[in-house]
Amino acid sequence: QELAAAKKVLSEKKPAVVIGTHGLLSHTVPWTNLGLLIIDEEQRFGVGQKEHLKKMRASIDILSLSATPIPRTLSMALSGLRALSIIATAPQGRKDINTVVQKESDDVIKQAIEKELERNGQVYIVSPKIRNLSMIQEIVLGLVPSARTAIAHAQLPDEELSRIIHAFDTQEVDILISSSIIENGLDLPNVNTMIVWNAAHFGLGQLYQLRGRIGRRSRQGFAYL
């Protein structure tokens, strides 16, 4: 019903702001007077998808936003084909994330978790492979038996995943062991330590996005890759 109502407004050429996913690129969306396109998380859209919208109207204005600019965007900016603005000032009170890159170590993992729990914080542990999450949970509980842990990944039913994220948000869970599903959208100020398992299996852009899930307020964030 909401989709039908949105399409009706667009077909009537009424002034409107439409917010949606890449589903807005569908040929069934009746754009009649598109003037401004704002793309958030530009790195998640393919060239073909963006070119499709440009073809709808020659005079369309496009503002692309990204914390991790893709090579094509950087190349076009450096060659003068498109304008690039950089916001380099962090939000007030935000601290740079302390990032450690090293070999996997039980001692480092134990110390990192205990340090965060001692300041009443929470921890993300991220793995590139869903099948490894249960194994990581066993290791973590062996190192820090008192920790309350939960596993989250995209293959869980929506209701169960929502329940787990809510429990983590309300601090009923100390450590969320997850896939890269947490890469975007989570803004939990009490979670300020992240351990990325097998970090070399993630792309640099992914690691940048993952690390951005911590240090969201004034508390120092620690990322262990």
Side-chain angles (χ1 to χ4, degrees), residues 96-184:
D96 287 339
I97 296 167
N98 190 325
T99 304
V100 178
V101 181
Q102 67 162 65
K103 285 186 177 182
E104 182 185 322
S105 164
D106 286 351
D107 288 340
V108 171
I109 293 170
K110 178 179 171 65
Q111 290 172 13
I113 292 173
E114 288 180 341
K115 182 177 180 180
E116 186 61 57
L117 297 186
E118 282 174 4
R119 60 177 184 173
N120 296 316
Q122 294 164 281
V123 180
Y124 289 120
I125 298 181
V126 186
S127 169
K129 298 181 189 294
I130 292 176
R131 66 174 180 265
N132 288 343
L133 299 180
S134 295
M135 177 265 296
I136 293 171
Q137 186 179 43
E138 290 181 13
I139 292 173
V140 169
L141 290 176
L143 296 172
V144 189
S146 62
R148 299 169 297 172
T149 64
I151 290 176
H153 55 78
Q155 293 180 9
L156 292 173
D158 289 346
E159 289 185 4
E160 184 178 356
L161 181 59
S162 177
R163 179 186 60 77
I164 291 169
I165 297 300
H166 178 71
F168 191 52
D169 184 22
T170 55
Q171 299 178 33
E172 296 170 29
V173 171
D174 299 315
I175 304 171
L176 185 67
I177 302 167
S178 77
S179 63
S180 59
I181 191 174
I182 66 162
E183 187 177 338
N184 292 290

Side-chain angles (χ1 to χ4, degrees), residues 38-45 63-66:
I38 300 176
I39 303 173
D40 194 18
E41 300 289 352
E42 184 201 16
Q43 77 279 2
R44 293 187 167 273
F45 288 82
L63 174 62
S64 298
L65 310 173
S66 177

